[in-house]
Amino acid sequence: MNITVYLGAKEGTDPEFKKAVQKLGEWIGASGNALVYGGSKSGLMGAIADSVLEAPGEVIGVEPEFFIKDEFQHEGLTKLIVTKDMFERKSKMIELGDVFIAFPGGTGTLEEITEVMSKVSLKHLNAPCILYNLNGYYNSLKALLAHMIEAGLSSKERQEGIYFAESLDEIKRILHLA
């Protein structure tokens, strides 16, 4: 299966992020699944691609033209898909994915995974949407989703298919691969 992972082009300040993303990448590659991600060589994005490739596994990068011009792309990918802009990139990453995981990241990661969450909520996408809540990174988002239900603006049924995982083992259980 194609596992689309959204994550940052920076490493962040928590050293656990890089260790955990490398473990996630090793598992994706060793399990025979493919990684779909944003195509960058830097930060957590580069770390996950490197770990999948070393497993060895398949890595599909999806990157907009302007990132290519700025030389952000990873050179060792199995396949690099170049899009005209970020909108096309998001659409292609969703089209290619069978599972969606948001690793800790910045505003771009948040924007990408909320689009997936919305599609899952509307039943326009039948795929697990997993927020990797490493060290409580997504606790505030988890609380916000619960608040939406409490306020009557969402429902448990609408949020079916959206999961919060505290570990790689929990991700595997959600995907019935543990």
Side-chain angles (χ1 to χ4, degrees):
M1 90 182 110
N2 285 345
I3 300 176
T4 298
V5 179
Y6 302 106
L7 68 173
K10 296 181 183 248
E11 283 192 23
T13 58
D14 186 339
E16 290 302 311
F17 291 166
K18 187 171 183 180
K19 290 178 192 172
V21 86
Q22 288 170 326
K23 282 185 183 177
L24 176 61
E26 288 166 12
W27 170 74
I28 291 170
S31 65
N33 296 304
L35 170 68
V36 176
Y37 88 118
S40 180
K41 64 183 175 187
S42 61
L44 296 173
M45 291 175 77
I48 197 169
D50 290 342
S51 61
V52 173
L53 291 166
E54 289 167 12
E58 182 180 347
V59 179
I60 302 165
V62 183
E63 201 158 40
E65 288 175 352
F66 68 90
F67 280 1
I68 301 294
K69 289 176 186 167
D70 292 336
E71 299 181 0
F72 291 131
Q73 78 275 8
H74 194 294
E75 296 296 335
L77 304 180
T78 310
K79 183 176 185 180
L80 178 64
I81 298 169
V82 180
T83 63
K84 66 180 180 179
D85 55 28
M86 293 295 279
F87 178 79
E88 187 179 301
R89 175 199 201 191
K90 285 190 308 175
S91 296
K92 181 54 84 173
M93 289 175 73
I94 290 170
E95 174 189 321
L96 293 171
D98 300 305
V99 171
F100 300 87
I101 299 173
F103 196 82
T107 54
T109 301
L110 181 61
E111 188 238 352
E112 290 168 324
I113 200 62
T114 53
E115 181 167 342
V116 172
M117 290 167 66
S118 179
K119 288 180 180 296
V120 167
S121 175
L122 294 169
K123 311 299 185 223
H124 292 172
L125 184 61
N126 183 20
C129 174
I130 303 168
L131 292 110
Y132 194 158
N133 196 27
L134 185 65
N135 297 338
Y137 190 81
Y138 285 112
N139 281 348
S140 296
L141 181 55
K142 188 176 187 179
L144 178 59
L145 291 176
H147 180 66
M148 289 174 180
I149 293 170
E150 291 165 12
L153 298 171
S154 187
S155 66
K156 287 184 181 185
E157 295 76 28
R158 281 285 213 184
Q159 293 184 19
E160 286 176 0
I162 300 170
Y163 304 93
F164 288 83
E166 310 296 321
S167 66
L168 178 55
D169 286 337
E170 199 169 338
I171 290 171
K172 292 176 189 177
R173 281 193 298 278
I174 291 166
L175 299 176
H176 306 291
L177 299 173

